[in-house]
Amino acid sequence: MKNLSRRDFLKSTSAVVTLASINPALNAMVINNAKKILTTSHYGAFYAVVEDGKFVRTIPYEKDNHPSPMIEAMPDRVYTPTRVKYPYVREGFLKHEHKSDTTKRGKEKFVRVSWDKAFELVAKEIKRVQKTTGPDSIYAGCYGWWTSGNMHNVRNIAQRMLKLTGGFVDDVNTYSTGAIRVILPYVTGSASGYYKPSAWPTVIKNVDNLVIIGADPYVTNQIAWTSADHRYYDYMEDLKEESKKRKINIININPVYTETAQKLNAKQVSLKPGTDVALMLGIANYMYKNKLYNEKFMKKYTYGRKQFFKYLIGEEDNIDKTPQWASKITGISEKDIELLAKLFAKGKTTLMGGWAIQRMDSGEQSHWMMVTLACMIGQIGQEGGGFTFSGHYSNIGAPAATGPGLSAFPINFKNTKDIPWVNKKSKYIPVARIADMLLNPGEKFDYNGKKLTYPDIKMIYWAGGNPFHHHQDVNKLIKAWQKPESIIFIEPYWTASARMADIVLPATTTFERNDITFFGHGSHESIMAMKKAVEPIAESKNDYDIAVGIMDKLGLKELYTEGKKDEMDWIKEFYNNSLKQAKDKNIPMLEFDDFWEKGHTDFKISQKAKNYVSFKSFIKNKRKNRLGTPSGKFEIFSKTIESYNYDDCAPHPKWYEPMEYLGSKKANKYPYHIVSPHPKYRLHSQLNNTWLRNVYEVKGREPILINIEDAKEKGIKDGDVVKVFNDRGSVLAGAVVTSNIRKNVVQLCEGAWYDPADLQNGDTSCIHGHVNVLTIDKGTSKLAQGNIAHTALVDFEKYTGELPQIKVFTPPKTI
Ligand SMILES: Nc1nc2c(c(=O)[nH]1)N[C@H]1C(S)=C(S)[C@@H](COP(=O)(O)OP(=O)(O)OC[C@H]3O[C@@H](n4cnc5c(=O)[nH]c(N)nc54)[C@H](O)[C@@H]3O)O[C@H]1N2
Ligand SMILES: Nc1nc2c(c(=O)[nH]1)N[C@H]1C(S)=C(S)[C@@H](COP(=O)(O)OP(=O)(O)OC[C@H]3O[C@@H](n4cnc5c(=O)[nH]c(N)nc54)[C@H](O)[C@@H]3O)O[C@H]1N2
Ligand SMILES: [Mo]
């Protein structure tokens, strides 16, 4: 495998060309009787080229105008040495089962067992826990980004199984939108308010100021939840064309001058991380005092403006939120704040918010404040105005085609007469409270107006996620992880989480099984077949077949499968449900056999969809189309939130000092704010175990962006290895010195595989650069209890010791 240095890579102009030239599969390629199989993935659609039964390379799908370079790593995803090839059980667990020493997780060897033995062990353990401590002691939230495909929806597969055995504890919300999913229903009346923004064609034609607040859509639209069509990039080409005809201001509010900012030649507002609410308050204050805001809009379409204005000008707390006040907090000059206020009030302004800014302490406030500011600007419901909170995600904003829905593998059962317990409602936790739950069984906590109690978890069953990647404060998680009596993971790879389990069952990747999904998460342009390209690696099994194997041991197979033979029976049923919907609405759609042969059935995008403007119907007739809030309007003050009487979430948008930021006392000890956005060449931790990591790693470590001046002060050069640390832990990372990041801010992307220095002897520092060793595990507030991954301070220094060898990409020792 050729090792391309980051510098070589960065010198080149086109990522795709460079990647192609170093992709080992491509270099070796001779197409001899190759089969081309169309499939799709989070990274986009492509043809899998299969030669002699081996997946050798990918060819982009002709309908994707901007294929992601990540698809080139797909063959490596199948053949990586980090695949779990057989079922394994931790040595101590095999001997003592639920009475094993749980502190040995991640330390003891794994023993290979037969599938029969593995199914038996899992079935026995489920039965035991259901019988002794019951469903409220089994955690099966299964949070994660398993592969696309409505059939192998691995969370549903696992949850249907546990439901049938008696029930389980679930999770609610996501790490993605932990805060906005909870706050927005109070403000806009629906959580889907962040999901369906105005269509890009109307925005592009009409917008004068596109204000990107904490988003990097050129990076994040590479992937999509169902499968990526990359239409965002088509629309950005249109935006560039449009801006040749008339002036469009693109403003990037972000401590980093991102790829998006560079591509769109944006003006940079490089604020201190975690201070967006203060910045917006400063802008709002100036607009209010200088009568630059739309009073008519506020009166007609919002509720509670007066209470908010009292706070804004200091009548509530004696602090006038002036640009001068905001300047001190944000590091943005008073003049620039005033300029932004004047600019927003002139022309059509779209506020485009990403999600990192709500993955922060008091993360509920940022998007509430953005809605408030958009209301003050007063252009919601107009072409080119208002706000959009999902234009950076899954290519949402692309106009949607007119087509049917597509069913997914069901958690629920059709006929529940003989199995009434499956109707029992699951207990749940907000997803990011997992470590608190494990550590504090029986403890009461606040969530969204309710008092909940942490259940006492004895068993974790997880398919399709990587908590030792996604959860904050790894050292706290390691302690929490020792609490349950059994931990079962279904995984294709030896991830950090799989290594910390008792039983690991090897799952196939999507290329080793059949499935079905939408091409285009926002556009729903086609329903696409995801045909099996190669045979399963070693003894890996499809997630569905793993569940069926366990259910068989428990005598529940018939009920679980509804008598169906295999995955194709389900896939046909899902497709035929869609076909029926389509026929009822006179939408042309292929019959199943023709669809499966062709690989896709396509739907048309109407002119109406291209003209879609969010909240237009509400603005047209606010009584008929009232919002789902108590007042039917945008709520800038929420009586419901007021009734909760929370000390960390006021009834109107408010600036709260985050527990760590550059203005806090902690900054004297740890003077650098660490942000951990989503990586360009990975999906979280996925693909880190492919050759693609050679493109960006520095001396085998995850790259960390360091400001030029900071690096100079610390005697650090581009390409050095640095140790990054705080009271929670430390990691090694590879320095990339740049002027594209604000001074005193460093960026270490989420998702580098956790490689503890010496777990056996208690050294849990990461030698590879996993950022969550450094982050804080706390809820955003009592309201949403979302994660606060982006609220963290660190220090760093040049690492001068001997470089430890990376171990995590070599499978663990097994017997
Ligand atoms: N510091 C910091 N932390 C963060 C974030 C951040 O911004 N900063 N972002 C957060 C966000 S928004 C998210 S969504 C989470 C993501 O967290 P995760 O979704 O847990 O991260 P992934 O690495 O995508 O893990 C998915 C796992 O599923 C496995 N998998 C894939 N396909 C299949 C399959 O078909 N079957 C089975 N059984 N397994 C499969 C993969 O191998 C992988 O290990 O991370 C969160 N963590
Ligand atoms: N390539 C790729 N694409 C992805 C993913 C992936 O892993 N890889 N993950 C997907 C998932 S699950 C999700 S949830 C979305 C995530 O989408 P987002 O949450 O929007 O993405 P992030 O990368 O976490 O952060 C976006 C930007 O916020 C900036 N930022 C950080 N702190 C601050 C701050 O205090 N103020 C401001 N104004 N900006 C700040 C970061 O510098 C970054 O440029 O992306 C999706 N897309
Ligand atoms: Mo996410």
Side-chain angles (χ1 to χ4, degrees):
M1 191 185 294
K2 192 176 160 193
N3 238 335
L4 181 94
S5 78
R6 193 188 51 78
R7 252 159 268 102
D8 291 345
F9 175 70
L10 292 178
K11 263 185 230 151
S12 73
T13 47
S14 159
V16 182
V17 171
T18 315
L19 288 175
S21 65
I22 64 153
N23 180 339
L26 261 191
N27 293 342
M29 215 209 47
V30 194
I31 297 195
N32 243 342
N33 304 324
K35 275 194 290 179
K36 272 172 52 183
I37 299 157
L38 180 64
T39 187
T40 194
S41 68
H42 294 310
Y43 318 90
F46 55 86
Y47 296 91
V49 181
V50 177
E51 262 191 327
D52 298 330
K54 197 164 181 222
F55 179 14
V56 288
R57 70 162 180 136
T58 54
I59 299 172
Y61 181 43
E62 57 276 10
K63 289 190 184 169
D64 183 345
N65 301 322
H66 301 271
S68 166
M70 280 187 273
I71 61 172
E72 290 190 36
M74 293 301 120
D76 215 16
R77 192 170 160 72
V78 174
Y79 303 110
T80 156
T82 49
R83 281 296 291 266
V84 183
K85 293 190 172 148
Y86 309 99
Y88 286 102
V89 182
R90 181 171 62 83
E91 205 177 3
F93 192 86
L94 198 58
K95 276 192 199 132
H96 309 291
E97 300 190 4
H98 65 277
K99 294 196 174 122
S100 80
D101 177 358
T102 57
T103 63
K104 295 276 168 61
R105 288 192 179 119
K107 298 176 188 168
E108 273 180 344
K109 286 199 178 112
F110 281 100
V111 185
R112 179 177 162 185
V113 296
S114 68
W115 269 111
D116 193 57
K117 172 83 185 167
F119 285 148
E120 204 160 293
L121 265 179
V122 176
K124 189 175 157 198
E125 184 58 9
I126 293 176
K127 210 167 162 180
R128 180 191 74 83
V129 184
Q130 290 288 20
K131 211 169 147 195
T132 52
T133 42
D136 295 349
S137 64
I138 302 177
Y139 184 63
C142 293
Y143 184 77
W145 271 73
W146 59 86
T147 29
S148 324
N150 283 31
M151 171 61 215
H152 288 95
N153 179 321
V154 310
R155 174 184 167 123
N156 289 10
I157 286 174
Q159 294 194 339
R160 178 181 172 91
M161 186 183 93
L162 285 156
K163 220 170 199 197
L164 197 52
T165 64
F168 61 93
V169 176
D170 203 354
D171 62 34
V172 293
N173 306 333
T174 61
Y175 280 75
S176 316
T177 54
I180 47 179
R181 203 175 265 228
V182 178
I183 187 80
L184 282 182
Y186 295 99
V187 180
T188 67
S190 128
S192 66
Y194 74 82
Y195 241 56
K196 198 163 183 229
S198 303
W200 275 119
T202 72
V203 177
I204 289 163
K205 253 181 261 149
N206 298 288
V207 72
D208 297 303
N209 309 309
L210 182 62
V211 188
I212 308 170
I213 309 179
D216 192 359
Y218 266 82
V219 168
T220 51
N221 274 323
Q222 290 280 306
I223 63 96
W225 178 246
T226 55
S227 80
D229 55 10
H230 300 126
R231 292 293 172 243
Y232 168 78
Y233 304 87
D234 292 337
Y235 289 115
M236 286 308 102
E237 295 305 310
D238 293 349
L239 179 73
K240 284 181 198 163
E241 282 304 308
E242 182 73 18
S243 60
K244 281 181 196 157
K245 291 185 225 151
R246 61 190 185 86
K247 189 170 162 57
I248 302 179
N249 298 304
I250 315 273
I251 318 269
N252 184 52
I253 301 183
N254 198 313
V256 181
Y257 196 61
T258 57
E259 178 167 342
T260 306
Q262 292 171 41
K263 289 268 163 52
L264 298 178
N265 205 9
K267 295 191 181 75
Q268 175 68 356
V269 180
S270 212
L271 83 175
K272 290 181 190 168
T275 67
D276 296 76
V277 174
L279 177 71
M280 287 186 275
L281 283 169
I283 294 170
N285 183 288
Y286 188 85
M287 288 178 93
Y288 179 78
K289 287 192 182 152
N290 293 281
K291 301 232 165 351
L292 293 173
Y293 78 105
N294 189 332
E295 202 176 348
K296 229 168 99 191
F297 185 98
M298 292 291 274
K299 268 192 186 150
K300 200 164 168 193
Y301 299 110
T302 73
Y303 171 83
R305 70 186 191 286
K306 286 188 182 148
Q307 287 99 319
F308 171 71
F309 287 149
K310 271 189 188 163
Y311 167 75
L312 187 66
I313 58 170
E315 282 176 15
E316 190 184 294
D317 58 0
N318 282 327
I319 301 169
D320 195 2
K321 317 297 176 304
T322 59
Q324 191 189 19
W325 168 86
S327 171
K328 279 201 191 110
I329 295 169
T330 60
I332 303 302
S333 73
E334 230 179 293
K335 202 172 129 243
D336 281 351
I337 295 173
E338 291 175 12
L339 275 175
L340 287 172
K342 285 181 207 156
L343 189 73
F344 291 1
K346 223 168 61 187
K348 285 286 166 67
T349 300
T350 290
L351 303 180
M352 181 179 176
W355 297 342
I357 50 175
Q358 51 92 59
R359 235 174 267 124
M360 292 197 170
D361 203 10
S362 294
E364 293 86 353
Q365 305 303 319
S366 52
H367 287 70
W368 197 356
M369 188 57 217
M370 244 185 287
V371 175
T372 304
L373 189 55
C375 287
M376 287 180 71
I377 296 168
Q379 298 168 353
I380 298 173
Q382 295 177 24
E383 285 75 4
F387 60 86
T388 153
F389 295 158
S390 47
H392 66 288
Y393 177 75
S394 289
N395 294 276
I396 291 173
T402 312
L406 181 64
S407 326
F409 185 80
I411 302 177
N412 294 321
F413 295 81
K414 273 188 204 139
N415 189 349
T416 61
K417 217 170 69 244
D418 301 324
I419 41 171
W421 63 89
V422 297
N423 293 325
K424 178 181 171 271
K425 266 199 144 179
S426 297
K427 280 211 165 158
Y428 65 88
I429 56 159
V431 66
R433 300 281 50 82
I434 178 171
D436 285 338
M437 167 184 73
L438 296 175
L439 289 168
N440 309 301
E443 193 175 290
K444 287 203 160 29
F445 68 102
D446 288 290
Y447 167 66
N448 201 14
K450 300 182 230 358
K451 274 258 185 252
L452 301 181
T453 308
Y454 287 124
D456 190 357
I457 297 300
K458 302 292 181 200
M459 176 183 184
I460 293 179
Y461 187 97
W462 210 308
N466 188 1
F468 274 87
H469 143 59
H470 67 231
H471 193 64
Q472 288 58 58
D473 195 348
V474 165
N475 281 307
K476 180 172 160 188
L477 187 63
I478 289 176
K479 283 197 198 95
W481 214 243
Q482 294 173 358
K483 289 280 192 153
E485 293 165 344
S486 51
I487 300 184
I488 299 160
F489 258 75
I490 322 296
E491 248 292 341
Y493 308 106
W494 281 114
T495 60
S497 303
R499 286 165 200 252
M500 297 292 264
D502 298 325
I503 302 178
V504 185
L505 304 181
T508 49
T509 67
T510 181
F511 311 112
E512 298 150 59
R513 62 197 190 198
N514 292 303
D515 219 316
I516 186 169
T517 193
F518 277 112
F519 172 63
H521 183 86
S523 68
H524 281 197
E525 275 173 50
S526 321
I527 292 180
M528 200 174 254
M530 298 168 67
K531 281 186 233 172
K532 176 172 165 178
V534 291
E535 289 305 313
I537 293 298
E539 284 189 8
S540 58
K541 279 188 191 290
N542 301 345
D543 286 271
Y544 175 66
D545 297 318
I546 294 174
V548 172
I550 298 167
M551 292 285 88
D552 197 18
K553 289 281 178 199
L554 289 168
L556 296 166
K557 182 174 158 184
E558 275 303 298
L559 281 171
Y560 186 80
T561 60
E562 293 178 3
K564 290 190 181 63
K565 271 197 323 284
D566 60 16
E567 64 193 19
M568 283 312 289
D569 282 353
W570 289 98
I571 292 171
K572 263 185 219 159
E573 181 177 298
F574 303 157
Y575 188 88
N576 285 331
N577 288 345
S578 305
L579 191 60
K580 186 174 177 309
Q581 280 179 39
K583 281 185 177 159
D584 289 349
K585 291 184 194 155
N586 273 329
I587 297 167
M589 189 170 160
L590 296 176
E591 292 293 323
F592 181 79
D593 290 343
D594 298 331
F595 154 73
W596 196 253
E597 167 137 14
K598 189 177 178 204
H600 56 99
T601 189
D602 306 333
F603 306 107
K604 288 215 169 74
I605 295 166
S606 66
Q607 193 53 45
K608 197 172 153 210
K610 290 181 187 161
N611 293 341
Y612 178 77
V613 176
S614 58
F615 299 106
K616 194 169 185 167
S617 56
F618 164 65
I619 299 299
K620 256 194 182 152
N621 188 338
K622 67 177 173 134
R623 259 174 273 281
K624 194 169 145 224
N625 304 312
R626 66 201 306 276
L627 300 181
T629 53
S631 62
K633 302 177 182 181
F634 290 110
E635 297 220 340
I636 291 166
F637 185 95
S638 164
K639 277 192 171 160
T640 321
I641 294 181
E642 186 184 36
S643 73
Y644 301 156
N645 208 11
Y646 289 154
D647 53 3
D648 55 2
C649 189
H652 57 71
K654 180 172 172 175
W655 160 248
Y656 287 94
E657 270 196 67
M659 67 183 285
E660 289 184 14
Y661 80 116
L662 291 174
S664 59
K665 271 205 196 99
K666 246 302 176 38
N668 295 329
K669 189 170 176 200
Y670 296 114
Y672 301 89
H673 195 119
I674 190 160
V675 289
S676 48
H678 292 229
K680 178 168 181 186
Y681 292 114
R682 286 195 301 267
L683 172 54
H684 314 297
S685 71
Q686 299 189 66
L687 306 192
N688 200 205
N689 55 338
T690 68
W691 62 268
L692 207 47
R693 73 174 177 275
N694 295 329
V695 167
Y696 53 83
E697 281 191 341
V698 177
K699 298 214 169 84
R701 324 284 137 171
E702 182 66 15
I704 182 167
L705 296 196
I706 301 174
N707 172 277
I708 289 188
E709 283 176 51
D710 291 336
K712 211 164 152 194
E713 280 167 28
K714 288 189 178 276
I716 289 165
K717 288 197 213 61
D718 194 72
D720 283 347
V721 171
V722 295
K723 181 181 160 188
V724 193
F725 57 95
N726 58 22
D727 294 337
R728 292 174 287 275
S730 75
V731 308
L732 297 186
V736 174
V737 176
T738 171
S739 54
N740 283 336
I741 190 160
R742 191 191 154 89
K743 197 171 173 334
N744 289 91
V745 182
V746 290
Q747 174 192 296
L748 184 61
C749 282
E750 51 115 276
W753 278 31
Y754 176 49
D755 198 348
D758 186 0
L759 207 55
Q760 291 288 353
N761 296 304
D763 186 351
T764 56
S765 66
C766 178
I767 59 173
H768 183 234
H770 175 32
V771 71
N772 280 324
V773 173
L774 303 164
T775 53
I776 304 171
D777 177 27
K778 183 189 97 64
T780 46
S781 84
K782 292 182 174 117
L783 191 83
Q785 295 284 11
N787 76 85
I788 63 162
H790 283 266
T791 298
L793 292 172
V794 295
D795 198 358
F796 60 97
E797 63 195 19
K798 186 168 165 171
Y799 180 77
T800 49
E802 200 181 314
L803 268 188
Q805 206 177 346
I806 300 294
K807 306 165 290 186
V808 73
F809 298 119
T810 314
K813 288 218 172 71
T814 55
I815 310 176

